Amino acid sequence: MNLRCFFSRHTVRNISKLNGRAFSQHSSGYRCVAGASTSTTPSFHPLGAHHGLSLVNCFKGKKIDHQFCRWIQTSGLDNLDDSSNHLECESEDDATVNEFLSRFVWLMRKKLAEAYPECDKDTVNGMLVIIVENVISEMEKGGLQHMTGPGASMPSQDFSEDLWRTVWDISNIVQQDMEKEKKKEKMKRFLQSEEVKEMYRFAGEVGIRGDLLRELRFKWARQKMEKSDFYESLELMRKEEAQKDSQEKDQRGKEIVAGNYNVVEGKHKSVSLPKRHGKIKYKIYGLDLSNPKWAKVADKIHESSKVMWPQEPKPISSECKLVTDKIFSLKDEDDPVPLLGEWKDLLQPSRIDWVALLDKLKEQNSHIYFKIQESVLGEESFQANERDYSKLIDALAKENHLEDAERILSKMNEKGIVPDVITSTILIKMYCKAGNLDRAKEVFDSCKAHGLQPDVKVYYSMIMAYVNASQPKEGVTLMAEMGFAGLKIPKEIYMVLLRSLAQAGSADAADRICTSMQFTGGFSLDVEALALMVEAYARANDHDSAMNYFTQMRNLGHKPDDRCTANMIAAYKKNNMLDKALELLLELEKDGFEPGVATCTVLVEWFCKLGLFEEAEQMLDKIAEQGEAPPFKLHVSLFEIHMESKAEKKALQVLGVLESNIDELELEDFERIIGLLVDANFVEDAKRVHGLMKTRGFALSGNLNLSLMSAQSVRRVRRHGREKSDQSIQ
């Protein structure tokens, strides 16, 4: 450590003079001690016990009495008291030196006390005086850095090498402690900065307390301090660079002036090129580049550079620009082939020119883009590849232009281009989106036959196509195939299949999907999955299993919604267990459940079947109070209520609504409507509804069919009887 860089020379001299004045009264005693230390070089090492008496022996040659040691302390204190006014005005360097010496003496005293335990306090004080004076003298000379090397010589002959090394170690420790103290003081300033206080208050407001809040405050202060140090270092570097640049400019100016002077004063020398004999040979690092083989290498490099740096499109100007504008202004019904031919003759385009034209056309006139791109695919200069066809097919599929996409696919096959996995994926998604399950399955099987592995998105599209086609079991097979292929099955696929199976009433298959989702997929059953299982078992007429999942949902802390409760009530309805249904509703009502539209709809249908029309009307009023339109299937129950209450006009109005939405009616609904019409002797209306039922592909049950036929026969007999009576009257 070079102490000169830490203390100023002026400060060191002041301390030296101050210490000199302190000991001037007993200079003879000091010289005696110094002479003793010079004549007998002490060997000191704080860790070695065999060095214990070496420094004491040097003091035995010249005795130091106790009065001298006491004078060392008292004279220093008197001098400090007399010069207190002067110390108040000392500079920052003097304060730093005082702190350094105080810390140094404190640590050195401990070392001396450990090395010489038999010496009294006065003797240790005498040793400290000699050590401090020598340290100050070395500081004036330039520091103790020359002592650190293994072969370094001693700074002076007063102390041994071990003693100087100890002095050096303690000086390093003192400097590190002072740096830490300085950093701590700086940290305190940043802890009290406004930004840190603001963040501290905000953290307290959001609920952070205790040790975490304290750690955050210190962290923010440390970050601010590091940021400040960083910018200070940048500013210092900037100043150093500016100073260095100014020095270089000054030096360069001097050199230019000196050079101009030499040119003017010197003689002009003419320089000529040597004459060439024979062929030119180019050699770089011993490599003869004049060999013809390097010409081939240069050609290959040029060709590869075309791939690395693609060419830019040719500039379009004059007549070609007019043709380009006409192409951009084409309409859907226009034929772009003549203009494209004219544009090609004028520009002689390459692939990059065609691509630039298509990109601009896609931005400005997207309507004609597909037609022009289809025409460009046949151009030889375009050099169409498989990816161009697949991109066009994908763009057409997104716009739902299925026929155009299939036409591009046929052209692709005519060119002999076999669809790869990307093109196959696009086709599968296109057919699945269009609902063409057969074509999607054909492409899917072809893809697997060629050894191409479909990804998760392709499987998801196929499963969705099977679900939309009401074939969830085929989707389950594909899901199992995904597992065998090592693909991770996402939760969306499980939920899609579970929802489809629940709506179909396939409780066993839904249960297998639920088990696979938990143990194979690693997904826990959420409230939606449990509700779907309740629906699946309710539709399968298994009210016990449905109730088990319903109870499991409640035990997990989930509140069943209106749809789930309606499915549970429907399960009890199929088994005509009204008491359990009402008991469940009362239990749910205690937990704050209010029956919604779905639950009220099930109850209306149930009450109508039981002949409880007043209760059914109350449920209808509750649906109206909720401000929602009743479901369509509720119109069947509403029709039954009006028919039983002899409100024929309202019943016929509801029947008109049912006939307008005939596609949503099931076989059970048709039979229920026809039975009510036959019982009320509305034979013509029953016959009309029966005709609509046949268009849906449903067949009337035997008993109801007999009732309808008998009602028609009775009506014909009555009509025939009335006709005869009318004729007899006439």
Side-chain angles (χ1 to χ4, degrees):
M1 177 183 66
N2 191 354
L3 296 177
R4 183 180 295 275
C5 67
F6 195 75
F7 311 111
S8 66
R9 180 182 293 274
H10 175 70
T11 304
V12 173
R13 287 179 178 174
N14 285 342
I15 293 176
S16 178
K17 291 177 182 179
L18 181 61
N19 290 331
R21 289 196 302 271
F23 301 115
S24 61
Q25 298 177 4
H26 297 273
S27 58
S28 60
Y30 173 74
R31 284 193 297 271
C32 175
V33 175
S37 62
T38 305
S39 61
T40 306
T41 304
S43 177
F44 170 75
H45 196 282
L47 301 178
H50 61 280
H51 297 291
L53 298 175
S54 58
L55 187 58
V56 177
N57 292 332
C58 85
F59 289 105
K60 287 181 180 179
K62 299 291 183 178
K63 293 183 179 180
I64 302 176
D65 56 355
H66 297 288
Q67 294 178 356
F68 172 73
C69 295
R70 284 195 298 271
W71 173 84
I72 290 175
Q73 297 177 346
T74 57
S75 62
L77 293 173
D78 293 339
N79 263 342
L80 290 174
D81 292 336
D82 295 338
S83 59
S84 59
N85 295 329
H86 175 71
L87 292 176
E88 290 177 358
C89 302
E90 66 181 358
S91 63
E92 184 180 355
D93 290 341
D94 295 334
T96 306
V97 171
N98 288 339
E99 183 180 358
F100 174 80
L101 292 178
S102 299
R103 291 175 180 269
F104 179 83
V105 171
W106 174 263
L107 294 176
M108 198 67 192
R109 186 186 297 275
K110 291 183 179 180
K111 293 286 185 181
L112 291 174
E114 292 175 1
Y116 304 102
E118 70 279 359
C119 294
D120 56 2
K121 185 176 181 181
D122 295 334
T123 305
V124 173
N125 289 339
M127 296 178 188
L128 285 173
V129 171
I130 297 172
I131 292 172
V132 170
E133 285 293 334
N134 279 274
V135 168
I136 292 175
S137 64
E138 291 299 329
M139 289 164 58
E140 290 179 345
K141 293 177 183 178
L144 303 173
Q145 194 170 3
H146 58 280
M147 297 173 52
T148 57
S153 60
M154 290 182 296
S156 69
Q157 298 298 324
D158 293 341
F159 299 151
S160 67
E161 183 179 355
D162 293 336
L163 180 55
W164 277 118
R165 188 173 292 110
T166 303
V167 170
W168 169 246
D169 293 339
I170 292 176
S171 300
N172 275 333
I173 294 172
V174 169
Q175 186 183 8
Q176 292 174 4
D177 292 342
M178 292 176 67
E179 289 292 336
K180 290 180 181 178
E181 191 67 26
K182 183 179 178 182
K183 191 173 182 180
K184 188 184 296 183
E185 292 297 329
K186 193 173 183 180
M187 186 73 171
K188 289 180 181 178
R189 292 199 304 270
F190 282 100
L191 281 172
Q192 299 300 326
S193 64
E194 291 299 327
E195 295 182 5
V196 175
K197 286 182 179 179
E198 184 67 25
M199 290 189 288
Y200 180 81
R201 284 193 294 269
F202 177 76
E205 290 175 359
V206 299
I208 301 176
R209 297 288 187 275
D211 295 337
L212 178 59
L213 182 59
R214 182 174 177 273
E215 291 176 3
L216 287 175
R217 185 175 184 180
F218 276 92
K219 177 183 176 182
W220 295 329
R222 184 170 60 254
Q223 290 176 351
K224 293 291 181 183
M225 184 177 68
E226 292 174 354
K227 184 178 180 181
S228 176
D229 293 342
F230 173 72
Y231 283 112
E232 287 178 1
S233 63
L234 288 181
E235 185 66 22
L236 182 61
M237 290 172 60
R238 187 186 65 80
K239 291 180 180 179
E240 291 177 354
E241 289 293 332
Q243 185 178 2
K244 185 177 178 181
D245 292 342
S246 62
Q247 292 176 357
E248 290 180 355
K249 288 180 181 179
D250 295 341
Q251 184 67 22
R252 197 180 300 114
K254 293 178 182 179
E255 291 177 357
I256 292 173
V257 172
N260 293 335
Y261 178 77
N262 292 333
V263 169
V264 173
E265 295 294 332
K267 296 180 179 180
H268 297 281
K269 295 182 180 180
S270 60
V271 180
S272 61
L273 294 174
K275 293 183 179 181
R276 179 176 60 83
H277 299 283
K279 295 182 179 180
I280 299 177
K281 290 187 177 182
Y282 304 98
K283 287 188 177 182
I284 298 178
Y285 298 108
L287 187 63
D288 187 8
L289 296 181
S290 59
N291 196 313
K293 68 179 181 181
W294 294 108
K296 298 179 180 179
V297 175
D299 293 338
K300 292 181 179 179
I301 293 174
H302 180 67
E303 292 176 359
S304 62
S305 65
K306 292 181 180 179
V307 179
M308 297 175 64
W309 293 280
Q311 298 178 356
E312 294 184 357
K314 297 177 183 178
I316 299 176
S317 59
S318 64
E319 187 177 356
C320 187
K321 187 175 182 180
L322 296 176
V323 177
T324 305
D325 294 337
K326 291 180 181 179
I327 293 174
F328 289 157
S329 60
L330 286 173
K331 298 180 180 180
D332 294 344
E333 60 273 9
D334 296 336
D335 186 11
V337 176
L339 286 176
L340 287 177
E342 186 179 355
W343 186 81
K344 183 177 66 173
D345 295 337
L346 291 172
L347 189 62
Q348 297 298 320
S350 61
R351 176 178 172 82
I352 189 65
D353 299 313
W354 285 112
V355 172
L357 176 66
L358 291 173
D359 291 341
K360 292 180 181 179
L361 188 65
K362 189 175 183 180
E363 295 176 359
Q364 298 184 14
N365 191 350
S366 58
H367 300 288
I368 200 67
Y369 167 75
F370 297 116
K371 188 181 292 186
I372 292 180
Q373 188 173 8
E374 183 178 354
S375 301
V376 170
L377 287 175
E379 297 291 339
E380 294 183 1
S381 58
F382 182 66
Q383 301 175 0
N385 53 30
E386 181 181 1
R387 196 60 54 238
D388 297 321
Y389 284 97
S390 63
K391 286 182 179 179
L392 181 56
I393 293 173
D394 188 24
L396 291 170
K398 290 179 179 178
E399 296 293 331
N400 295 325
H401 297 165
L402 187 61
E403 295 180 357
D404 297 335
E406 289 183 339
R407 185 174 64 253
I408 300 299
L409 179 62
S410 62
K411 289 184 178 181
M412 180 179 176
N413 294 329
E414 291 174 1
K415 292 282 186 179
I417 301 175
V418 180
D420 60 355
V421 65
I422 298 177
T423 309
S424 300
T425 301
I426 294 171
L427 292 174
I428 291 171
K429 291 181 179 179
M430 179 183 70
Y431 288 127
C432 290
K433 183 180 178 181
N436 194 342
L437 184 58
D438 295 333
R439 286 289 294 155
K441 187 177 180 181
E442 180 182 347
V443 177
F444 184 77
D445 294 338
S446 175
C447 182
K448 292 192 295 183
H450 286 85
L452 303 176
Q453 176 61 48
D455 59 0
V456 176
K457 293 182 179 180
V458 174
Y459 275 105
Y460 181 74
S461 299
M462 287 297 300
I463 290 173
M464 285 298 299
Y466 279 120
V467 168
N468 294 332
S470 301
Q471 300 179 20
K473 293 184 179 180
E474 297 293 334
V476 174
T477 305
L478 278 184
M479 189 187 72
E481 185 179 324
M482 288 179 66
F484 293 138
L487 297 175
K488 176 67 176 178
I489 304 174
K491 187 177 180 180
E492 290 78 9
I493 291 180
Y494 285 112
M495 295 304 296
V496 164
L497 291 174
L498 187 60
R499 191 176 297 109
S500 178
L501 292 171
Q503 292 175 357
S506 302
D508 295 336
D511 188 66
R512 287 193 295 270
I513 292 294
C514 191
T515 304
S516 177
M517 182 171 66
Q518 292 182 83
F519 297 102
T520 304
F523 303 106
S524 59
L525 294 180
D526 55 3
V527 62
E528 184 181 2
L530 293 171
L532 290 174
M533 290 304 300
V534 172
E535 181 180 359
Y537 280 108
R539 291 180 181 271
N541 199 14
D542 188 354
H543 61 87
D544 291 331
S545 299
M547 191 62 194
N548 289 336
Y549 278 101
F550 192 85
T551 305
Q552 182 181 354
M553 182 191 302
R554 297 182 64 191
N555 292 336
L556 291 175
H558 303 302
K559 290 186 177 181
D561 58 357
D562 181 55
R563 179 180 176 83
C564 183
T565 306
N567 289 324
M568 195 64 236
I569 299 299
Y572 286 131
K573 171 192 166 186
K574 291 182 179 180
N575 294 275
N576 201 19
M577 303 171 68
L578 183 60
D579 53 346
K580 288 191 175 183
L582 295 177
E583 183 181 352
L584 177 62
L585 289 174
L586 291 174
E587 185 178 352
L588 292 175
E589 189 176 357
K590 293 179 181 178
D591 297 336
F593 174 76
E594 288 290 337
V597 176
T599 305
C600 291
T601 301
V602 176
L603 291 174
V604 168
E605 294 177 355
W606 198 353
F607 290 156
C608 288
K609 284 187 176 181
L610 295 176
L612 304 174
F613 298 109
E614 293 182 1
E615 288 78 1
E617 289 181 357
Q618 291 178 3
M619 290 293 104
L620 288 173
D621 294 338
K622 185 170 289 189
I623 293 175
E625 289 175 0
Q626 295 181 7
E628 296 185 15
F632 171 73
K633 284 197 173 184
L634 191 61
H635 285 79
V636 179
S637 300
L638 191 61
F639 175 73
E640 184 176 0
I641 292 173
H642 292 320
M643 291 295 291
E644 294 293 338
S645 61
K646 306 300 181 181
E648 298 178 356
K649 187 176 181 180
K650 292 182 179 180
L652 293 177
Q653 290 177 353
V654 175
L655 182 61
V657 175
L658 292 172
E659 290 179 357
S660 62
N661 297 276
I662 201 71
D663 294 334
E664 298 184 20
L665 295 176
E666 302 294 336
L667 175 61
E668 182 183 358
D669 300 326
F670 279 111
E671 291 185 345
R672 189 175 172 187
I673 294 170
I674 293 173
L676 290 171
L677 291 172
V678 170
D679 293 340
N681 202 20
F682 288 91
V683 181
E684 294 296 332
D685 295 323
K687 186 177 179 181
R688 185 177 66 255
V689 174
H690 185 221
L692 296 174
M693 180 180 176
K694 289 181 179 179
T695 59
R696 287 289 310 278
F698 296 131
L700 202 60
S701 61
N703 295 330
L704 189 58
N705 192 18
L706 289 175
S707 299
L708 179 60
M709 292 175 63
S710 62
Q712 291 177 354
S713 300
V714 170
R715 185 176 180 81
R716 283 196 297 269
V717 170
R718 289 178 179 177
R719 183 183 300 173
H720 185 68
R722 283 198 300 270
E723 289 177 355
K724 283 185 176 181
S725 62
D726 292 339
Q727 290 177 1
S728 62
I729 292 172
Q730 291 176 358

